[in-house]
Amino acid sequence: MDGMLSQEEINALLGSMDAEAGSDVPNAEAPSTNVPDSEMLTPKESDAVGEIANISMGTAATTLSVLVNNRVDITTPSVTYTTMEELAEQQEAPCVFIYISYRAGLEGKNVLILKEQDVKVITDLMMGGDGTNTDTELNELHLSAICEAMNQMMGSAATSMSSMINEMVDISPPTATRVDFAQEFSEELADLMGQTFVQVSFRMEIGDLVDSEIMQLYPITFARRIYEQFAGLDKEEETAAEAAAPVQPAPAAKQPEPQPAPQMQPAPNMGVQQQPVAGPQPMYAMPPQDINIQPAQFQNFMPAQNLDGIAPENIDLIMDVPLEVTVELGRTSKSIKEILDFSPGTIIELEKLAGEPIDVLVNGKFVAKGEVVVIEESFGIRVTEIIKEN
């Protein structure tokens, strides 16, 4: 009315402009790298790899939530293609590359990429912190902790994959490397240059501390091998289902209808029944039979005894079995943070009073108490009390 466009008209105009501009834009799912069509995954293979990664990382997220004592959410993944050169252009901050090798069930390697800040938060939570102590420089302690976390996470993911393919899937202990794309690549990363990877990206949230992206890189041949492993299982299941399908029986010849059995009529003025004239005898008309029922007899399971009335003992058969004897001075509990603060000269206070008898354990079982003695140049223990079971 006043010559101005309404909001609906503006939205419609912008939508038509985007549609015209999008006619020259390639599909978002198409790779930005120069991958030959013969090497690209088919849509079915791509969907299968994404679904397998989704199930595996879902299990891994549950394990991570236990390690960091926080809620961990991982979204549905997206599957694309990438190279190290493209990642170098996209990643501004340093990353941590975690190398995972499959040694059973599946044969191949993939790389899990986490941002350096996310690694610091995860390791701080694992060590009992609140996730905010991230000002320190990334060091070997962080890399060792994240390797242990990834070992448990990917181990649970391998267990999940094992249940999917009915075959044990196992991984080697992961290794981690800090990667700064602004610097020169190490020799290990140099082997990855020039390759095209299937990139499976997830959005990861850890409580209110982390809202970031993690990604897995699969070599195309390994991604295709994963699909073939699961596709082969599906074909076996279909074949087994077809083999187990019931076979329809051929129609049987029509049988003559059975004639009803003659009714038994009581004879007049008699106390007995008249026998049937003809036809088969009905089952319910069978005369009752006397069955002799006796109580069940059970064997006596008392241990066998010898002539003297004493049960034989076989303790001599195990006299040469070695047992581990441990003398325990005392125990205490420390957090990971306190243990990491240990240094030469640190005093650890035990939960045992000075002068209290020392515990003696055999194969981890408490059997006696004693006192420490010195025999020539060696320590020993004099047993002062034998602990008897109640």
Side-chain angles (χ1 to χ4, degrees):
M1 297 294 294
D2 54 359
M4 298 179 62
L5 294 176
S6 64
Q7 185 62 43
E8 290 78 10
E9 292 173 331
I10 294 174
N11 293 338
L13 180 59
L14 293 176
S16 62
M17 292 175 63
D18 291 340
E20 293 177 359
S23 60
D24 297 330
V25 176
N27 189 351
E29 295 296 330
S32 59
T33 56
N34 297 323
V35 183
D37 294 341
S38 59
E39 297 182 6
M40 289 177 55
L41 299 179
T42 64
K44 189 174 183 179
E45 292 173 339
S46 178
D47 292 342
V49 171
E51 183 60 26
I52 294 168
N54 187 29
I55 297 174
S56 302
M57 290 303 296
T59 307
T62 303
T63 304
L64 181 60
S65 65
V66 176
L67 295 176
V68 300
N69 196 26
N70 266 272
R71 178 183 177 87
V72 178
D73 294 320
I74 293 182
T75 62
T76 303
S78 62
V79 181
T80 55
Y81 295 83
T82 190
T83 63
M84 288 293 112
E85 290 78 7
E86 290 183 353
L87 288 176
E89 297 176 357
Q90 299 170 2
Q91 302 295 331
E92 298 179 357
C95 302
V96 175
F97 278 37
I98 303 165
Y99 303 93
I100 302 165
S101 299
Y102 292 83
R103 60 185 180 184
L106 293 171
E107 294 183 0
K109 298 181 180 180
N110 69 327
V111 181
L112 187 68
I113 302 178
L114 294 172
K115 294 182 179 179
E116 183 182 36
Q117 179 68 16
D118 299 342
V119 171
K120 292 180 180 180
V121 173
I122 292 174
T123 53
D124 184 49
L125 291 173
M126 290 176 61
M127 295 177 185
D130 57 2
T132 59
N133 185 20
T134 59
D135 296 334
T136 59
E137 185 178 354
L138 192 73
N139 52 38
E140 290 297 328
L141 179 61
H142 293 94
L143 296 180
S144 178
I146 199 63
C147 279
E148 177 58 28
M150 291 301 115
N151 189 29
Q152 297 191 33
M153 289 175 60
M154 301 312 298
S156 62
T159 303
S160 178
M161 295 178 69
S162 300
S163 63
M164 287 188 283
I165 67 175
N166 295 326
E167 183 179 351
M168 186 188 72
V169 176
D170 193 15
I171 63 171
S172 300
T175 58
T177 304
R178 181 181 181 273
V179 177
D180 189 350
F181 288 104
Q183 301 176 358
E184 294 183 359
F185 294 146
S186 62
E187 295 182 359
E188 188 173 9
L189 286 179
D191 296 337
L192 305 178
M193 303 301 293
Q195 296 187 42
T196 301
F197 299 90
V198 177
Q199 175 181 320
V200 184
S201 302
F202 303 83
R203 179 183 175 188
M204 178 180 66
E205 297 180 2
I206 303 178
D208 298 330
L209 300 170
V210 174
D211 185 357
S212 183
E213 181 186 47
I214 62 174
M215 63 184 70
Q216 285 182 301
L217 302 183
Y218 295 89
I220 294 180
T221 54
F222 182 46
R224 184 170 285 111
R225 190 178 302 122
I226 294 176
Y227 168 77
E228 292 173 353
Q229 186 88 7
F230 287 84
L233 180 64
D234 294 340
K235 291 179 180 178
E236 292 178 2
E237 292 178 349
E238 293 176 1
T239 304
E242 293 176 358
V247 180
Q248 297 295 334
K254 186 176 182 180
Q255 301 292 334
E257 297 182 359
Q259 298 295 329
Q263 301 294 329
M264 299 176 63
Q265 300 293 338
N269 301 326
M270 296 182 65
V272 297
Q273 290 183 334
Q274 183 180 0
Q275 297 295 329
V277 178
Q281 182 75 13
M283 294 183 65
Y284 55 81
M286 293 290 291
Q289 298 179 0
D290 294 334
I291 302 176
N292 185 15
I293 301 177
Q294 297 180 355
Q297 299 295 328
F298 297 99
Q299 182 181 359
N300 189 357
F301 287 100
M302 294 296 292
Q305 297 185 353
N306 56 17
L307 297 177
D308 299 331
I310 302 175
E313 297 185 4
N314 296 326
I315 191 67
D316 293 338
L317 299 177
I318 59 173
M319 281 295 187
D320 295 333
V321 176
L323 300 178
E324 180 180 357
V325 179
T326 304
V327 177
E328 186 178 274
L329 182 63
R331 295 188 182 189
T332 188
S333 298
K334 297 290 183 181
S335 66
I336 294 178
K337 186 177 186 303
E338 292 172 322
I339 294 175
L340 293 176
D341 291 336
F342 283 177
S343 61
T346 299
I347 297 177
I348 303 174
E349 183 179 355
L350 302 178
E351 298 173 353
K352 186 179 286 288
L353 299 177
E356 189 175 349
I358 306 301
D359 297 336
V360 180
L361 297 88
V362 176
N363 275 15
K365 186 174 181 180
F366 181 34
V367 297
K369 291 184 178 181
E371 57 185 11
V372 177
V373 296
V374 178
I375 305 174
E376 294 180 354
E377 296 182 356
S378 300
F379 282 107
I381 183 168
R382 179 186 293 113
V383 176
T384 58
E385 180 183 357
I386 301 296
I387 306 301
K388 297 182 179 180
E389 296 183 355
N390 295 332

